[in-house]
Amino acid sequence: MVIGIDFARLTKMTGIFIQNHHLYIQAFTHTSYAHERKHMGNVQDNERLEYLGDAVLELLVSEYLYHRYPNMSEGELTRTRARVVCEPSLASFAKQLHFGEFIRLGKGEELTGGRERPSLLANVFEAFVGALYLDQGLDRVRQFLHRLVFRQLNEEWLSQVTDAKSRLQELVQQEHIGPLEYKIVDVKGPAHDRQFVAEVYLDGKCLGRGTGRSKKGAEQEAARQALQNWKK
């Protein structure tokens, strides 16, 4: 379990010369880690930074798409932005930066593979953006996103990260087969850190199963697994 942060490696991975170390320690601190250390005083988790980073990402991705695609309608811009800031996309950016190895996790989360969980990685990416914004301002976040995110946003990439539920629905409609049904089959974890488990069914057959911090996220993961199974 990671106690400290290797800031030299983090700087190498991100290209960011970190100034306020405490912000980034918080950004990589999962709620499970903070919860286990209540007795040690004020150990802050990354949820507030995640909230801030989400807003910063929405703004800067919107700004980039507005200038990059002048002929896109409002609806198209909104849908494209949703593909960029969705959980799978943010998790993939976090994986490219090896963020999983920096996360401070509680014992249970560590044992259940939290470092590789897409929802957790996506949240850490948002928290990192929030920390970077507070540490160095909006322009630095914009530079970071241009280097890591925006250079990847071509038509091929955008088509690959299309909402999994929509892709599965389109596939089912093309095959002219029955309606899809999503079910939340389990809810795990304490109140402060819920994990939802969803399954997607077609004609009573389970096509995929997924876990997420929200019902919507769990359904997306279930749809993603169904798409993988469909290709086999």
Side-chain angles (χ1 to χ4, degrees):
M1 184 162 49
V2 178
I3 302 299
I5 301 288
D6 184 347
F7 285 103
R9 179 160 171 74
L10 184 60
T11 294
K12 182 179 179 181
M13 292 294 99
T14 62
I16 300 296
F17 182 75
I18 291 164
Q19 298 174 17
N20 187 334
H21 288 61
H22 294 291
L23 281 171
Y24 299 92
I25 291 173
Q26 182 181 348
F28 286 102
T29 301
H30 188 252
T31 51
S32 61
Y33 183 94
H35 186 71
E36 287 183 3
R37 287 159 180 77
K38 282 183 177 180
H39 63 283
M40 297 175 61
N42 187 27
V43 180
Q44 293 182 300
D45 63 48
N46 62 7
E47 289 189 342
R48 283 170 54 84
L49 285 174
E50 176 192 334
Y51 158 81
L52 181 61
D54 176 64
V56 173
L57 277 168
E58 289 268 337
L59 170 62
L60 292 180
V61 171
S62 298
E63 176 190 70
Y64 174 81
L65 294 176
Y66 179 86
H67 293 295
R68 175 67 177 80
Y69 300 104
N71 296 321
M72 271 192 181
S73 67
E74 177 189 1
E76 290 173 323
L77 287 168
T78 299
R79 288 190 292 273
T80 303
R81 181 184 63 194
R83 296 174 189 178
V84 177
V85 300
C86 69
E87 181 180 293
S89 299
L90 299 184
S92 73
F93 300 142
K95 286 181 179 179
Q96 290 175 43
L97 295 170
H98 302 280
F99 274 2
E101 67 186 68
F102 300 104
I103 304 171
R104 305 201 300 174
L105 294 172
K107 294 179 181 178
E109 198 67 42
E110 183 78 67
L111 291 172
T112 55
R115 292 187 190 281
E116 299 298 323
R117 188 169 297 123
S119 60
L120 196 152
L121 288 170
N123 293 339
V124 166
F125 186 82
E126 289 177 331
F128 178 85
V129 168
L132 180 57
Y133 169 72
L134 292 178
D135 186 33
Q136 302 183 33
L138 197 63
D139 282 343
R140 179 60 91 181
V141 179
R142 187 182 287 111
Q143 292 169 13
F144 169 72
L145 294 179
H146 268 283
R147 189 169 64 251
L148 174 70
V149 177
F150 298 155
R151 66 179 179 81
Q152 300 186 48
L153 303 189
N154 53 38
E155 295 302 322
E156 181 181 0
W157 187 90
L158 289 172
S159 66
Q160 289 175 349
V161 298
T162 303
D163 172 76
K165 289 179 68 176
S166 297
R167 287 163 59 198
L168 183 61
Q169 183 65 41
E170 290 172 2
L171 192 59
V172 168
Q173 289 175 345
Q174 289 172 6
E175 298 288 338
H176 302 291
I177 46 184
L180 293 168
E181 181 183 8
Y182 290 87
K183 296 179 181 179
I184 300 299
V185 296
D186 196 8
V187 181
K188 303 176 180 179
H192 71 278
D193 191 23
R194 284 278 187 257
Q195 292 286 333
F196 296 89
V197 181
E199 293 179 344
V200 57
Y201 290 85
L202 179 64
D203 291 335
K205 179 183 177 182
C206 180
L207 300 180
R209 182 182 177 94
T211 302
R213 289 187 63 182
S214 66
K215 294 179 181 179
K216 182 178 179 181
E219 290 175 352
Q220 287 286 354
E221 286 301 310
R224 202 168 342 276
Q225 186 184 95
L227 286 169
Q228 293 174 350
N229 293 336
W230 198 287
K231 297 174 184 177
K232 293 178 181 179

